[in-house]
């Protein structure tokens, strides 16, 4: 009886083809999984913050605006009552601050070309039980912001618009930065979410795009 099998050359060619196909498809699969995961984390964080702001308003009866919190650091005291806090970092315990220019060494702009300014995040920091890192900007002249690192500061890329997202509180509502009417409105200035910009504010307006564009996380710079 004659038994036929594959030759060594045929086996090697087949393995080579499999390797090429894997090299092409696996990075795409990994990127798709990562994008789905980041989108889910962002939606969860947004929902958590929405509920917290709504509960602050319901319990206090006081409008949740920057004018209601004239003292720097006063808003985070209310916020921490309505989110599950693992650690209160004060104003800077969980930040890596560059003393020369007062930027954050561990956080970059959208294109990761420059550090971002610490003074935009210096009014309270919290680590939540799910790992989310919260930073608050509580300035009484019309600005009340919450920035959320949705996968924690110990996990990269630690960049605005990639895993760090900014929200602005306007008239009892928490609004994704970049939306019409927010300080970082991308309809007014596209540089707030640009794939090529190197300014430190690039990325502040990306939250709105991340929440409204289904393929946003698949095309990060």
């Amino acid at each position: 009886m004659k038994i036929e099998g594959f030759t060594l050359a045929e086996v090697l060619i087949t393995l080579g083809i499999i390797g090429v196909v894997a090299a092409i498809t696996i990075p795409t699969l990994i990127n798709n999984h990562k994008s789905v995961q980041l989108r889910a984390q962002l939606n969860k964080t947004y929902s958590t913050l929405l509920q917290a702001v709504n509960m602050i308003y319901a319990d206090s009866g006081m409008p949740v605006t920057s004018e209601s919190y004239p003292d720097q650091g006063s808003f985070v005291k209310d916020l921490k009552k309505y989110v599950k806090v693992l650690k209160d970092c004060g104003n800077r315990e969980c930040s890596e601050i560059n003393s020369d220019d007062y930027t954050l060494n561990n956080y970059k702009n959208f294109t990761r070309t420059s550090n971002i300014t610490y003074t935009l995040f210096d009014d309270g920091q919290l680590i939540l039980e799910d790992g989310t890192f919260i930073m608050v900007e509580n300035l009484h002249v019309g600005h009340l912001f919450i920035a959320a690192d949705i996968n924690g500061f110990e996990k990269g890329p630690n960049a605005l618009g990639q895993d760090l997202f900014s929200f602005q509180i306007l008239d009892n509502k928490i609004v994704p930065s970049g939306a019409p009417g927010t300080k970082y409105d991308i309809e007014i200035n596209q540089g707030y979410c640009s794939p090529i910009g190197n300014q430190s504010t690039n990325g502040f307006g990306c939250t709105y795009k991340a929440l409204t564009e289904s393929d946003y996380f698949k095309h990060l710079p």
Side-chain angles (χ1 to χ4, degrees), residues 106-180:
N106 56 332
Y107 281 101
K108 305 290 184 180
N109 65 350
F110 188 43
T111 53
R112 289 183 274 180
T113 53
S114 67
N115 294 349
I116 55 178
T117 305
Y118 168 64
T119 53
L120 298 175
F121 305 99
D122 63 349
D123 296 315
Q125 300 179 353
L126 305 170
I127 299 176
L128 305 189
E129 289 184 357
D130 65 358
T132 304
F133 180 45
I134 300 293
M135 295 184 283
V136 173
E137 172 61 13
N138 179 187
L139 194 60
H140 70 276
V141 290
H143 298 155
L144 185 54
F145 292 91
I146 302 175
D149 183 338
I150 58 177
N151 60 1
F153 62 83
E154 293 182 345
K155 186 176 181 180
N158 287 356
L160 274 169
Q162 298 201 34
D163 60 349
L164 178 65
F165 293 92
S166 174
F167 301 86
Q168 184 172 359
I169 295 179
L170 296 170
D171 301 325
N172 297 326
K173 297 179 181 178
I174 182 164
V175 184
S177 288

Side-chain angles (χ1 to χ4, degrees), residues 10-167:
E10 289 173 330
V11 171
L12 292 175
I13 291 172
T14 302
L15 291 175
I17 293 172
I18 293 173
V20 170
V21 173
I24 294 173
T25 59
I26 288 177
T28 301
L29 292 174
I30 293 174
N31 184 57
N32 287 343
H33 174 73
K34 181 180 178 181
S35 66
V36 169
Q37 187 176 42
L38 287 171
R39 173 170 288 279
Q41 289 174 313
L42 176 58
N43 284 326
K44 178 185 176 183
T45 300
Y46 187 28
S47 176
T48 297
L49 296 176
L50 277 171
Q51 292 179 34
V53 171
N54 287 338
M55 292 176 70
I56 291 172
Y57 176 59
D59 288 350
S60 69
M62 178 181 67
V64 185
T65 64
S66 58
E67 288 75 15
S68 299
Y69 295 93
D71 299 323
Q72 290 178 310
S74 57
F75 174 73
V76 75
K77 293 179 181 179
D78 274 358
L79 177 65
K80 65 188 294 186
K81 300 174 185 175
Y82 300 96
V83 293
K84 296 179 180 179
V85 178
L86 179 65
K87 180 179 179 180
D88 186 339
C89 298
N91 289 342
R92 59 187 297 166
E93 184 180 338
C94 298
S95 298
E96 297 177 12
I97 303 169
N98 187 327
S99 58
D100 293 332
D101 57 6
Y102 227 50
T103 59
L104 291 173
N105 288 330
N106 56 332
Y107 281 101
K108 305 290 184 180
N109 65 350
F110 188 43
T111 53
R112 289 183 274 180
T113 53
S114 67
N115 294 349
I116 55 178
T117 305
Y118 168 64
T119 53
L120 298 175
F121 305 99
D122 63 349
D123 296 315
Q125 300 179 353
L126 305 170
I127 299 176
L128 305 189
E129 289 184 357
D130 65 358
T132 304
F133 180 45
I134 300 293
M135 295 184 283
V136 173
E137 172 61 13
N138 179 187
L139 194 60
H140 70 276
V141 290
H143 298 155
L144 185 54
F145 292 91
I146 302 175
D149 183 338
I150 58 177
N151 60 1
F153 62 83
E154 293 182 345
K155 186 176 181 180
N158 287 356
L160 274 169
Q162 298 201 34
D163 60 349
L164 178 65
F165 293 92
S166 174
F167 301 86

